[in-house]
Amino acid sequence: MSKYYLNYLDELESEAIYILREVWAQFENPVILFSGGKDSILVTHLAKKAFYPSKIPFALMHVDTGHNFPETIQFRNDLVKKLDVKLIVGSVQKSIDQGRVAEERGKNATRNSLQITTLLDAIEENKIDCAIGGGRRDEEKARAKERFFSHRDDFGQWDPKNQRPELWNILNGKHFEGEHFRAFPISNWTEMDVWNYIKRENISIPSLYFAHEREVVFRSNSWIPVSDYLNLEESEQIEKKKIRFRTLGDITITGGIESQADNLDKIVQEVSAMRKTERGDRSDDKRSETAMEDRKKQGYF
């Protein structure tokens, strides 16, 4: 890795730490949205650096779909114990049981969109005024419209045409009662930046990101992992492939790629040659051209 790139990573780190400190300065009860994916792990690591030697002043909030990778939940629990931070869990299953949302049916059923109601309920119940996310502008066109401080109205909705200007280093977190913000400290990072930083800092990540053998089916041009929640069609054949995941989400919608990248050096090399966005294997983003933006307007991450 070149000296220039190391300096560039230092600049990204410094920017993210500044934003995290601004969140702590401007808001009363902020949390880190923690999915167990590499980006939320990175944000948590940066928060640890930002407030060292004190422990992280933010609780971690996880929206549990009930359809998670078991490896992700184990990683989450181990990290919370290691960091000695508070964990807030919003349960999609609880939202279903209470009649707040209805379970989807059919072959491509997912609980992904159901997370919106659970997230907004958890924000209101815990009086959260800022939720820190690991969204990056290079991931998807809707996320490219986000500011560092993203205003949400009293219904938790996002209006991409009504965001506040961010001139120089001035971030405006002022809001009325009932409104809240999402903050995105790693907005300017790319997937390659994330992996090079994880390698440099030796950050622990779930084993799902490394190539491993798994039972999968080929659906929507992706290898979807076999689980108790996957509705198989008669024509679909279960195969065993060596795959890894570039992004983690609900196990029913997260597609893997065939890969031999079983360590960080190989992942960095593989990502450098990629021409497809990491969310290209997420079936929830394939439902329509504006799937992500539609969900974000309703209150999604």
Side-chain angles (χ1 to χ4, degrees), residues 17 20-22 24 46-58:
I17 286 175
L20 287 164
R21 289 173 177 168
E22 279 293 301
W24 182 240
L46 289 164
K48 181 180 176 183
K49 282 193 127 181
F51 298 98
Y52 183 83
S54 298
K55 71 178 184 180
I56 296 174
F58 312 118

Side-chain angles (χ1 to χ4, degrees), residues 30-293:
V31 297
I32 293 175
L33 294 175
F34 190 84
S35 66
K38 66 183 185 307
D39 297 322
S40 62
I41 293 169
L42 172 59
V43 170
T44 305
H45 176 83
L46 289 164
K48 181 180 176 183
K49 282 193 127 181
F51 298 98
Y52 183 83
S54 298
K55 71 178 184 180
I56 296 174
F58 312 118
L60 302 188
M61 177 184 283
H62 179 219
V63 178
D64 184 354
T65 66
H67 291 175
N68 301 285
F69 286 93
E71 297 94 328
T72 304
I73 297 300
Q74 185 61 55
F75 186 93
R76 179 202 72 184
N77 294 341
D78 291 344
L79 184 62
V80 167
K81 184 177 180 180
K82 178 181 178 181
L83 296 176
D84 187 27
V85 295
K86 179 181 178 182
L87 174 65
I88 300 170
V89 178
S91 170
V92 172
Q93 185 61 55
K94 183 178 178 181
S95 298
I96 294 171
D97 294 342
Q98 292 177 341
R100 296 280 293 146
V101 293
E103 185 89 78
E104 288 187 5
R105 304 296 178 188
K107 169 187 171 182
N108 295 313
T110 170
R111 289 185 170 184
N112 194 53
S113 62
L114 308 188
Q115 297 179 79
I116 298 171
T117 298
T118 304
L119 172 61
L120 294 178
D121 285 350
I123 286 173
E124 182 176 2
E125 180 182 341
N126 292 279
K127 295 181 171 54
I128 306 302
D129 55 358
C130 183
I132 307 164
R136 307 189 326 269
R137 293 183 180 124
D138 77 318
E139 287 182 279
E140 203 272 343
K141 56 189 176 183
R143 287 189 168 171
K145 299 178 182 180
E146 288 282 17
R147 305 292 174 86
F148 288 123
F149 277 17
S150 178
H151 175 263
R152 304 298 170 105
D153 65 20
D154 51 356
F155 294 103
Q157 296 176 330
W158 173 64
D159 181 358
K161 296 181 180 180
N162 187 29
Q163 293 298 305
R164 298 174 182 182
E166 292 180 344
L167 306 175
W168 301 286
N169 292 326
I170 301 173
L171 303 174
N172 184 356
K174 292 183 179 179
H175 59 285
F176 292 107
E177 184 72 25
E179 299 176 343
H180 72 277
F181 272 77
R182 308 289 169 85
F184 300 101
I186 62 170
S187 286
N188 287 333
W189 296 55
T190 66
E191 184 185 11
M192 179 62 82
D193 297 331
V194 170
W195 282 115
N196 275 318
Y197 189 80
I198 286 172
K199 178 184 173 184
R200 188 184 86 170
E201 300 285 303
N202 194 28
I203 301 172
S204 296
I205 55 174
S207 59
L208 297 162
Y209 283 111
F210 300 105
H212 59 287
E213 282 199 344
R214 198 178 194 106
E215 288 189 336
V216 292
V217 295
F218 195 69
R219 179 186 293 181
S220 300
N221 294 317
S222 298
W223 291 106
I224 304 296
V226 175
S227 70
D228 294 337
Y229 315 112
L230 187 67
N231 299 316
L232 289 173
E233 292 194 334
E234 290 185 6
S235 60
E236 291 180 322
Q237 298 293 321
I238 297 176
E239 301 182 53
K240 183 166 279 190
K241 294 282 184 179
K242 191 170 185 179
I243 65 166
R244 76 174 193 87
F245 300 95
R246 294 176 68 192
T247 178
L248 300 184
D250 191 323
I251 196 170
T252 62
I253 57 167
T254 304
I257 59 171
E258 291 189 73
S259 173
Q260 299 297 318
D262 54 7
N263 60 49
L264 288 174
D265 287 324
K266 292 179 181 179
I267 288 177
V268 168
Q269 184 177 10
E270 182 179 82
V271 170
S272 68
M274 289 287 186
R275 294 295 178 267
K276 182 180 180 182
T277 174
E278 64 197 280
R279 291 190 68 91
D281 292 297
R282 289 283 292 266
S283 61
D284 51 328
D285 289 349
K286 298 178 182 179
R287 293 192 168 191
S288 73
E289 285 293 321
T290 60
M292 170 67 84
E293 183 158 337

